[in-house]
Amino acid sequence: MIFTVLTLFPKFFESPLNESIIKKATDNKILRFNIVNIRDFAHDTHKTCDDTPYGGGPGMVMKIEPLYNAMNHVESNLGRPYYILMTPQGRVFSQHTASRLAKKPHLCLICGRYEGIDERIIDLVDEEISIGDYILSGGEVSALVLIDSISRLVPGVLGNKESHVKESLEESLLEYPQYTRPEVFMGMEVPSVLLSGNHEEIRRWRRRESIRKTIIRRPDLMERFQPNKEDEVLIREIMEGLSE
Ligand code: SAH
């Protein structure tokens, strides 16, 4: 899978893309990163990428032509990618969106700076994504959030094929609690069922805790959850426990 990033600050990506899982997947040629400096596509002598807003007001606005030129350059080398504009005005990113985007062969993430990009960019992109209801100073951090969460869903990126299947939010549920050694820490014990060796009981306990945590912490997620027969029994047990 190819990630192209259009940015005014390409160095921003050097360290994060050269660590751990993403670096390994790049070395193994499962992922490929193409970090493009928008400034290289501003053709005036000062390589201007921003200008004052029409109608007045504070700050600067990113110009459309350098971006358009950069997009053409990407397309002539690698074909048309799926374009995503990073913007606080976009649809809020979720695990569901990450799974959908992980199936695209080539994503191009466009990072704004200053007061944002000339609004006409919207006609050139496929989708606008926000990573949450707060304002960042640039799209780079949000692009890294997408890269991190999408790439770990690309087959072969995580070592263990199973390891993201049961993760939080994959099924609109939070993940069950996890423990490792020691068995007792400052008087706090690991739930005994996990030491029992009874795989069926462990599986059922995990499922119940996963649903219980979601009901307590994120009731909003439960609206999308589709319980099976066993889950319905577990939910009844949980509700009885909560009302005691
Ligand atoms: N004035 C703009 C915000 C500009 S912030 C507005 O009110 O809509 C500068 C850049 O940071 C944006 O162009 C965008 O690329 C990025 N950015 C800021 N907050 C973001 C968020 N929550 N999600 C994704 N990108 C964001």
Side-chain angles (χ1 to χ4, degrees), residues 4-225:
T4 291
V5 181
L6 306 187
T7 172
L8 288 171
F9 297 93
K11 274 196 256 162
F12 216 100
F13 295 86
E14 279 174 11
S15 158
L17 300 183
N18 272 298
E19 298 281 355
S20 183
I21 291 168
I22 290 183
K23 174 168 175 21
K24 208 162 149 204
T26 312
D27 290 346
N28 291 338
K29 308 223 168 352
I30 302 169
L31 300 179
R32 176 173 159 195
F33 291 94
N34 178 31
I35 310 297
V36 176
N37 189 346
I38 301 165
R39 202 169 296 284
D40 293 342
F41 298 89
H43 295 319
D44 64 309
T45 41
H46 294 104
K47 297 208 170 288
T48 314
C49 288
D50 59 329
D51 206 339
T52 53
Y54 275 121
M60 299 296 271
V61 175
M62 273 174 72
K63 289 166 66 63
I64 188 114
E65 302 102 309
L67 265 169
Y68 180 73
N69 296 338
M71 290 163 90
N72 276 338
H73 171 80
V74 170
E75 287 181 27
S76 59
N77 285 328
L78 297 166
R80 190 184 186 283
Y82 189 79
Y83 287 110
I84 296 173
L85 176 64
M86 303 313 309
T87 163
Q89 302 185 20
R91 179 122 58 93
V92 177
F93 190 58
S94 67
Q95 187 66 19
H96 180 78
T97 312
S99 308
R100 175 168 58 80
L101 296 176
K103 298 188 181 84
K104 306 271 183 206
H106 182 187
L107 293 179
C108 177
L109 310 177
I110 302 176
C111 305
R113 277 270 158 180
Y114 321 119
E115 290 306 313
I117 304 174
D118 185 309
E119 189 81 1
R120 289 169 286 188
I121 186 72
I122 291 176
D123 287 343
L124 306 181
V125 301
D126 298 296
E127 194 165 336
E128 298 169 58
I129 292 183
S130 162
I131 62 160
D133 291 340
Y134 38 80
I135 304 294
L136 302 163
S137 22
E140 288 75 14
V141 169
S142 60
L144 282 169
V145 168
L146 263 66
I147 289 169
D148 189 297
S149 54
I150 293 168
S151 51
R152 61 202 295 290
L153 299 177
V154 173
V157 170
L158 291 186
N160 179 353
K161 244 173 102 187
E162 297 282 307
S163 57
H164 64 74
V165 174
K166 295 219 174 78
E167 232 155 17
S168 287
L169 307 175
E170 286 289 347
E171 235 191 325
S172 296
L173 287 180
L174 301 180
E175 195 182 51
Y176 52 78
Q178 303 263 32
Y179 301 85
T180 185
R181 268 174 276 274
E183 229 174 278
V184 183
F185 174 69
M186 305 222 320
M188 297 180 279
E189 290 175 19
V190 172
S192 56
V193 58
L194 298 179
L195 312 173
S196 69
N198 184 332
H199 296 297
E200 176 51 21
E201 257 185 54
I202 292 172
R203 186 197 61 74
R204 198 169 183 279
W205 181 86
R206 286 181 162 165
R207 187 74 184 169
R208 188 175 59 226
E209 289 310 300
S210 176
I211 298 173
R212 199 167 70 86
K213 249 187 156 177
T214 312
I215 290 175
I216 293 171
R217 296 182 177 209
R218 293 292 306 276
D220 57 306
L221 293 178
M222 289 303 289
E223 284 166 28
R224 271 186 285 153
F225 175 56

